[in-house]
């Protein structure tokens, strides 16, 4: 028995780019890693806060996962690590069961990452990469926009220094109404100044006044969050702002992330499994979308199943290093690519830099104000809140527009996971509704050609002796009756009818229910002395029809082309 040959590069894509790795690529990857680290340190700590975890776990989530993806992943520039959306989903999964910040909460976050990794890995091994197609792009866009709103709202409590609840917008508004009088205005002003620093200063730097800094301007703007962090650290340290009520991160443990399996039990696994599956699906969709965009620009191959395996191993790495679920980051990937990264080695360098920060520089961040991290999250995430896709989608497709709005309000008014499930279910319901109402047209011949078009759209030749019908959908139990009703309507309009021809050019599959409906149409037409004909039947459909009784019982013929059918049945009209 011969076993299929497995290429090493298909299992370890790193083998391919390591073979021709050279000094120029090393320099490009090293420099891009330095630029990415300026974003990664503040983002990692900030997104850990979004997940309800200690800031150090955000750094842990950026070490082993990036190394594993660099070895197994297919994208040359994808940056794996903590992201706002997955952090919010982590929080939403854990908060119903555990007290935020408790040891059980932290251990469960690690277990959640492990479960996400196992699910993703198994889906990749068993080649379930096609699952990305189960979630439509409009639903994903709406889900991301609504989640961005919730993530931004979840940080308002750090700006106001009050215990707001932000599970959904209704609870948030109720909580805001209750706690607004207790606002710490010093913290609020500090946070607002940070937001202005991150939003106004980039516009100022992009003005003509700084044209001389054109080459360095991009790097400076991307480094602003890190500059803000060090500036706020200096202010807190030298002016003792903690005594004025400015809350800080507090003690951050230093050292290499501990390698250990998170505590687990079957009861705990069952609790976390639904959330883990949702996170695995969303993280895969987000990661593969980013990876596909970069692969398209770099003209490199990308295998969705291999990406699932790589994402799975990255999350398993996060789970055993005291971190939480990770995925591809759009902002860091774009910066990584723009900074000149040539290979995934840039991710490995970023991981090494994070290790150095974790070992020696965590004490620097102990006086970091929580309001600063909150401002960093709000500014970075608010860029995703864009309602133009809703308008564009509604104009193009009302069904997709409805799915978008339902998903948006589901996420905002219920919770992240429930909103996404509602969006996916709505998409499928609308899809089934569309399939059950297929486009069916009577077609006629365009004079002087052998082409047939819809009689309601074109000037065409027709005959009272026959009617040509085209259905632009596969035939299934959902729409077969619609075809039958259409045929009944057409024969009721014309008492002189002798032939009905169904053009099958748009039909790629006929299920058993539809086959039985066709047999019934054939029998009913035969009683009226009207013959049923089929034209332009595709090979796979014909193969299935040969296994049925329809071909033996068909009152008419099967024609290779529709023109051949009408010319044979009505030569005077279609000569």
């Amino acid at each position: 028995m011969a076993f299929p040959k497995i290429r090493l590069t298909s299992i370890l894509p790193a083998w391919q780019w390591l073979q021709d790795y050279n000094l120029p690529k090393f320099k490009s990857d090293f420099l891009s890693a330095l630029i990415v680290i300026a974003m990664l340190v503040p983002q990692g700590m900030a997104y850990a806060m979004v997940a309800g975890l200690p800031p150090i776990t955000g750094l842990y989530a950026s070490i082993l996962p990036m190394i594993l993806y660099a070895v197994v992943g297919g994208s040359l520039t994808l940056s794996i690590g903590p992201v706002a959306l997955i952090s919010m989903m982590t929080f939403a999964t854990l908060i119903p069961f555990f007290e935020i910040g408790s040891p059980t909460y932290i251990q469960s976050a690690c277990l959640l990452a492990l479960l996400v990794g196992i699910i993703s890995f198994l889906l990749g091994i068993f080649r379930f990469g096609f699952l990305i197609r189960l979630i439509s792009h409009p639903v994903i866009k709406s889900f991301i926009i609504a989640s961005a709103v919730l993530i931004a709202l979840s940080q308002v409590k750090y700006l106001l220094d009050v215990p707001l609840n932000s599970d959904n917008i209704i609870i948030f508004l109720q909580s805001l109404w209750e706690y607004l009088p207790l606002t710490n205005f010093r913290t609020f002003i500090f946070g607002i100044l940070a937001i202005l620093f991150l939003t106004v200063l980039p516009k100022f730097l992009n003005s003509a006044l700084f044209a001389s800094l054109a080459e360095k301007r991009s790097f400076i703007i991307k480094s602003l969050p890190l500059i803000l962090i060090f500036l706020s650290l200096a202010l807190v340290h030298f002016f003792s702002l903690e005594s004025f009520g400015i809350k800080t991160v507090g003690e951050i443990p230093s050292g290499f992330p501990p390698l250990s399996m998170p505590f687990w039990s079957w009861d705990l696994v069952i609790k976390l499994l639904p959330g883990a599956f949702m996170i695995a699906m969303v993280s895969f969709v987000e990661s593969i979308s980013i990876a596909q965009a970069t692969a398209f620009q770099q003209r490199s191959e990308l295998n969705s199943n291999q990406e699932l395996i790589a994402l799975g191993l990255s999350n398993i790495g996060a789970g055993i290093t005291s971190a939480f679920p990770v995925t591809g980051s759009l902002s860091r990937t774009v910066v990584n690519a723009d900074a000149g990264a040539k290979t995934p080695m840039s991710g490995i360098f970023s991981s090494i830099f994070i290790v150095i920060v974790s070992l020696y520089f965590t004490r620097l961040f102990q006086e970091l104000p929580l309001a600063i991290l909150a401002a960093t999250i709000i500014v970075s995430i608010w860029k995703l809140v864009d309602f133009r896709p809703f308008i564009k989608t509604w104009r193009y497709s009302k069904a997709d527009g409805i799915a978008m709005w339902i998903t948006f309000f589901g996420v905002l008014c219920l919770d992240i996971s429930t909103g996404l499930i509602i969006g996916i279910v709505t998409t499928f319901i609308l899809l089934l509704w569309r399939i059950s109402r297929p486009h069916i047209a009577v077609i006629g011949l365009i004079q002087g050609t052998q082409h047939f078009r819809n009689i309601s759209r074109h000037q065409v030749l027709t005959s009272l002796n026959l009617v040509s019908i085209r259905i632009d959908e596969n035939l299934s139990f959902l729409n077969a009756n619609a075809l039958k009703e259409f045929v009944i309507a057409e024969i009721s309009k014309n008492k002189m009818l002798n032939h009905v021809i169904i053009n099958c050019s748009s039909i790629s599959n006929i299920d058993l229910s539809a086959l039985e409906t066709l047999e019934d149409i054939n029998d009913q037409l035969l009683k009226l002395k009207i013959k049923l004909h089929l034209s332009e039947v595709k090979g796979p459909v014909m193969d299935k029809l040969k296994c049925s009784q329809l071909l033996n019982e068909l009152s008419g013929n099967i024609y290779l082309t529709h023109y051949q059918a009408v010319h044979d049945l009505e030569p005077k009209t279609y000569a």
Side-chain angles (χ1 to χ4, degrees):
M1 179 180 176
F3 291 95
K5 187 177 180 181
I6 299 175
R7 293 185 304 167
L8 182 61
T9 53
S10 66
I11 302 173
L12 295 174
W15 183 255
Q16 185 170 356
W17 57 261
L18 279 172
Q19 286 180 318
D20 59 350
Y21 199 69
N22 52 36
L23 185 59
K25 289 182 178 179
F26 170 85
K27 291 179 179 178
S28 297
D29 290 339
F30 190 84
L31 289 173
S32 64
L34 284 174
I35 294 172
V36 168
I37 204 72
M39 294 180 65
L40 189 52
V41 171
Q43 279 191 356
M45 293 192 295
Y47 294 153
M49 282 175 50
V50 173
L53 294 162
I56 190 65
T57 60
L59 300 183
Y60 291 165
S62 308
I63 299 175
L64 188 57
M66 279 206 289
I67 295 173
L68 290 170
Y69 183 84
V71 175
V72 186
S75 175
L76 297 177
T77 54
L78 184 67
S79 179
I80 290 289
V83 299
L85 179 57
I86 300 304
S87 298
M88 187 69 178
M89 293 186 73
T90 299
F91 178 82
T93 302
L94 299 178
I95 198 62
F97 306 113
F98 314 105
E99 182 183 351
I100 186 170
S102 65
T104 310
Y105 185 99
I106 296 170
Q107 279 291 303
S108 298
C110 300
L111 179 59
L112 185 63
L114 193 65
L115 291 175
V116 169
I118 292 170
I119 291 169
S120 300
F121 183 79
L122 291 177
L123 289 175
I125 288 291
F126 292 107
R127 310 185 70 78
F128 276 87
F130 69 90
L131 285 175
I132 188 176
R133 302 175 196 139
L134 295 181
I135 309 179
S136 70
H137 282 203
V139 166
I140 283 294
K141 284 181 184 176
S142 177
F143 173 70
I144 290 173
I145 293 168
S147 298
V149 174
L150 278 185
I151 291 167
L153 294 180
S154 72
Q155 299 307 298
V156 173
K157 62 184 177 183
Y158 298 110
L159 292 181
L160 303 181
D161 192 15
V162 291
L164 299 178
N165 189 330
S166 55
D167 290 350
N168 60 52
I169 195 167
I170 297 171
I171 294 174
F172 171 79
L173 291 174
Q174 292 172 343
S175 183
L176 183 64
W177 179 261
E178 181 181 353
Y179 289 104
L180 192 59
L182 303 178
T183 298
N184 183 333
F185 285 99
R186 294 186 183 92
T187 301
F188 178 67
I189 292 170
F190 201 61
I192 292 299
L193 289 174
I195 291 173
L196 291 174
F197 179 89
L198 294 173
T199 54
V200 176
L201 194 55
K203 295 178 182 178
F204 188 58
L205 290 172
N206 278 320
S207 65
L209 291 172
F210 294 90
S212 60
L213 296 174
E215 295 182 0
K216 300 178 181 178
R217 187 161 48 192
S218 177
F219 174 74
I220 294 171
I221 291 173
K222 290 166 185 173
S223 302
L224 284 179
L226 194 61
I227 294 170
L228 174 65
I229 282 177
F230 284 115
L231 184 61
S232 63
L233 284 170
L235 289 172
V236 171
H237 182 74
F238 291 110
F239 294 96
S240 301
L241 294 184
E242 285 182 273
S243 61
F244 291 92
I246 304 295
K247 289 186 178 179
T248 59
V249 169
E251 185 178 354
I252 302 175
S254 61
F256 196 81
L259 292 169
S260 62
M261 282 290 291
F263 169 79
W264 71 279
S265 65
W266 286 116
D267 181 56
L268 188 56
V269 168
I270 291 170
K271 282 182 181 178
L272 298 180
L273 206 55
F277 187 80
M278 293 302 298
I279 292 173
M281 286 293 295
V282 172
S283 65
F284 175 52
V285 171
E286 187 170 3
S287 182
I288 196 71
S289 300
I290 299 166
Q292 283 175 341
T294 55
F296 190 88
Q297 294 299 320
Q298 295 161 350
R299 300 185 180 185
S300 58
E301 286 186 69
L302 197 69
N303 184 303
S304 59
N305 292 308
Q306 183 66 29
E307 288 302 295
L308 265 174
I309 292 171
L311 197 59
L313 290 174
S314 297
N315 275 286
I316 290 172
I320 63 174
T321 54
S322 303
F324 53 97
V326 296
T327 189
S329 166
L330 176 59
S331 59
R332 294 196 299 272
T333 299
V334 171
V335 170
N336 196 34
D338 290 347
K342 302 298 182 185
T343 72
M345 185 63 77
S346 61
I348 295 176
F349 288 143
S350 295
S351 299
I352 293 170
F353 295 148
I354 291 291
V355 169
I356 294 171
V357 172
S358 302
L359 288 173
Y360 303 109
F361 298 104
T362 54
R363 292 185 63 185
L364 282 175
F365 301 103
Q366 291 182 6
E367 294 181 313
L368 179 61
L370 294 175
I372 296 299
L373 284 179
T376 303
I377 295 169
I378 290 171
V379 171
S380 65
I381 205 69
W382 200 254
K383 297 172 186 175
L384 299 175
V385 181
D386 182 5
F387 290 97
R388 285 175 295 182
F390 288 87
I391 299 170
K392 181 181 176 182
T393 303
W394 181 264
R395 287 175 178 170
Y396 182 78
S397 170
K398 296 295 186 288
D400 284 332
I402 290 170
M404 282 190 78
W405 283 110
I406 288 176
T407 304
F408 181 78
F409 286 113
V411 171
L412 273 188
C413 300
L414 298 173
D415 60 67
I416 283 182
S417 298
T418 305
L420 179 59
I421 292 171
I422 290 173
I424 295 171
V425 171
T426 301
T427 303
F428 277 102
I429 291 173
L430 291 171
L431 177 64
L432 295 176
W433 178 82
R434 183 183 64 78
I435 293 173
S436 69
R437 296 164 57 87
H439 178 259
I440 306 175
V442 175
I443 57 177
L445 179 67
I446 295 178
Q447 197 164 8
T449 73
Q450 294 186 10
H451 300 292
F452 292 81
R453 294 292 183 270
N454 192 332
I455 64 170
S456 63
R457 292 176 177 266
H458 300 272
Q459 293 275 339
V460 292
L461 292 175
T462 58
S463 169
L464 293 175
N465 188 45
L466 62 83
V467 62
S468 297
I469 297 172
R470 188 190 70 222
I471 176 169
D472 298 324
E473 188 65 70
N474 290 336
L475 277 176
S476 67
F477 68 95
L478 290 168
N479 57 24
N481 204 53
L483 175 63
K484 184 177 180 180
E485 291 174 356
F486 192 89
V487 171
I488 292 171
E490 288 303 314
I491 64 174
S492 66
K493 295 176 187 176
N494 186 359
K495 303 301 181 183
M496 300 173 62
L497 203 62
N498 293 313
H499 302 281
V500 172
I501 313 171
I502 297 178
N503 183 302
C504 303
S505 59
S506 298
I507 301 174
S508 299
N509 185 57
I510 299 176
D511 72 6
L512 185 60
S513 298
L515 176 66
E516 291 175 351
T517 301
L518 284 175
E519 291 173 344
D520 185 47
I521 291 172
N522 180 62
D523 292 340
Q524 297 300 323
L525 290 176
L526 194 58
K527 292 177 182 177
L528 297 172
K529 298 183 179 179
I530 299 174
K531 291 185 177 181
L532 176 65
H533 309 270
L534 305 178
S535 72
E536 302 187 18
V537 181
K538 293 182 178 180
V541 176
M542 183 61 77
D543 291 341
K544 295 185 77 172
L545 291 181
K546 286 177 182 177
C547 301
S548 70
Q549 291 298 314
L550 179 63
L551 296 188
N552 297 327
E553 298 173 357
L554 191 67
S555 56
N557 301 311
I558 296 179
Y559 293 94
L560 184 64
T561 68
H562 201 81
Y563 180 79
Q564 185 183 38
V566 297
H567 187 270
D568 183 46
L569 299 173
E570 193 68 14
K572 292 181 181 179
T573 305
Y574 298 99

